[in-house]
Amino acid sequence: MALKLFNTLSRSVQEFIPLDPSGKNVGLYCCGPTVYDFAHIGNWRTFVFGDLVRRTLEFKGHAVTHVMNITDVEDKIIKRVRETKTSLREFTGKYEAAFLEDLDRLNCRKPTVMPRATEHIKEIISLIEKLIQRGVAYQAADGSVYFSIEKYRGCGCAYGRLLKLNFDELRAGERVKSDEYAKESAADFALWKARVPEDGDIFWPGPWGEGRPGWHIECSAMSLKVLGDSFDLHLGGEDLIFPHHEDEIAQSEGATGKPFVKYWLHGAFLLVEGKKMSKSLGNFFTLRDLLAKGFTGREIRYLLLTAHYRETFNFTLEGLQGAHTALARIDECVGKLREIIGTPASGTAQSDSQPAVPEAGAPTDLLARFAAALDDDLNISAAWAAVFEWVRETNKRIAENSLNASDAASALAAWEKVDSVLGIGTKSGTEIPAEILALAEARTAAKKAKDFKRADAIRDELKAKGWAIEDTPKGPKLKKI
Ligand SMILES: [Zn+2]
């Protein structure tokens, strides 16, 4: 089955084919946080979406190099450093640590590489030098360096790949120095910003004099360094399409002459309580605000994962209550499966009876339906529908007493595979993995068949995997060594 994704570059749903000829390795770059404040729930929607893409690729057997940069120098940061009278590193270090904590609370897998912009000034400078050599960047009178859209287009390159721009409105040579600007003010943008008094002591020596990098060039320099000139996937919130991602393409392709990214993925906007988030409306939430209200990272992750990534999503506190109920249903079902596996099969001596053809709700069906839903441009609603139908069906089979320990073990293993993508886990973090439970079950079966050699071999295998098994009057008990 092939994964299909909506590529902003082609404005269509396309089959995902990695650049790696073996089809195994995938390079994924997600624009990371600008560490000037705690990330809000809108930011987290994008990061959880990035985590879903990564986990889906891993579920499908790819080896993913997941890069997420830390933007630790740009306009907003410098302003805040000035206001708070701290040092750059002290200021950004605090928010970077908070970001990593929050990432963990939402059970996002830690990116493979998290490069900091301030640690890549050398790479940034050499990338700018390359753009000057290629004639698509120039130094202005104040020592700043700009990317020339006119020269870039003159070389036959397209600017405006991810969205349509009206070039009649663009006036050649006009410049924009700030990191963020609107489509209407598309103009030559700053790659290197000459030092000004407001920058304080935040500057680096460069071939054009003291200064600091522009925001856009940071991502190009770090992604090219870690993932190479061309890589598979680049992801971010839809608000980054212009100018940030458009500029990243121009800078990268302008320097290397090679296609930069094969698939561009963008997550849609998040509304909170039906409105655009704003501090004055009282609907602006950081992750920490929501945790302080008593919600868990797990509930928040679940809710963020209920909407398709290309749909505007209305995040509500009522939705979080619903998340609590939905998760409780999954927990109850998974808990019952664990109970069945952990209970000696006294009433169901024929636990080795042949399983019937998989019916709706059977583990194989869950996995197939779940995988097919993901393949369809990450159709998360269909994926959750498969999960909840499986919960219903499994509960029914448990109630009918028609699920033996080995059925339960394979159901649990299927759920764990599904959860390797959803990442919601179970309520307690100290649960016994399905693989271990299945081994324990196999040992019980071996003992029952008086195959003590095999039972002992399984005990050793469990030990090698870090688990001790102890026979008690209530049946075998597993303990982490
Ligand atoms: Zn970026």
Side-chain angles (χ1 to χ4, degrees), residues 29 31 69 215 219 234 244-245 248:
Y29 187 90
C31 286
N69 66 296
W215 170 37
C219 275
H234 195 310
H244 188 55
H245 289 163
E248 274 193 48

Side-chain angles (χ1 to χ4, degrees), residues 304-423:
L304 290 174
L305 277 179
T306 51
H308 189 261
Y309 73 96
R310 287 195 286 126
E311 267 169 34
T312 302
F313 178 55
N314 184 22
F315 187 95
T316 62
L317 296 183
E318 199 187 326
L320 277 176
Q321 304 285 359
H324 183 85
T325 314
L327 288 170
R329 282 178 59 204
I330 295 173
D331 288 344
E332 195 195 349
C333 178
V334 171
K336 279 194 240 162
L337 287 175
R338 287 186 196 280
E339 259 172 49
I340 293 172
I341 300 163
T343 310
S346 51
T348 51
Q350 271 74 48
S351 62
D352 56 345
S353 61
Q354 287 304 305
V357 178
E359 52 194 282
T364 43
D365 191 51
L366 167 68
L367 269 174
R369 283 187 59 193
F370 182 77
L374 290 177
D375 279 345
D376 177 20
D377 191 25
L378 308 175
N379 185 344
I380 201 76
S381 315
W384 284 117
V387 167
F388 284 106
E389 199 168 307
W390 170 81
V391 167
R392 246 191 324 274
E393 198 59 39
T394 304
N395 282 339
K396 199 173 125 212
R397 292 182 68 194
I398 293 169
E400 286 165 353
N401 227 349
S402 67
L403 207 72
N404 63 31
S406 108
D407 294 338
S410 57
L412 196 58
W415 161 249
E416 284 185 352
K417 227 159 166 238
V418 163
D419 192 46
S420 73
V421 178
L422 298 173

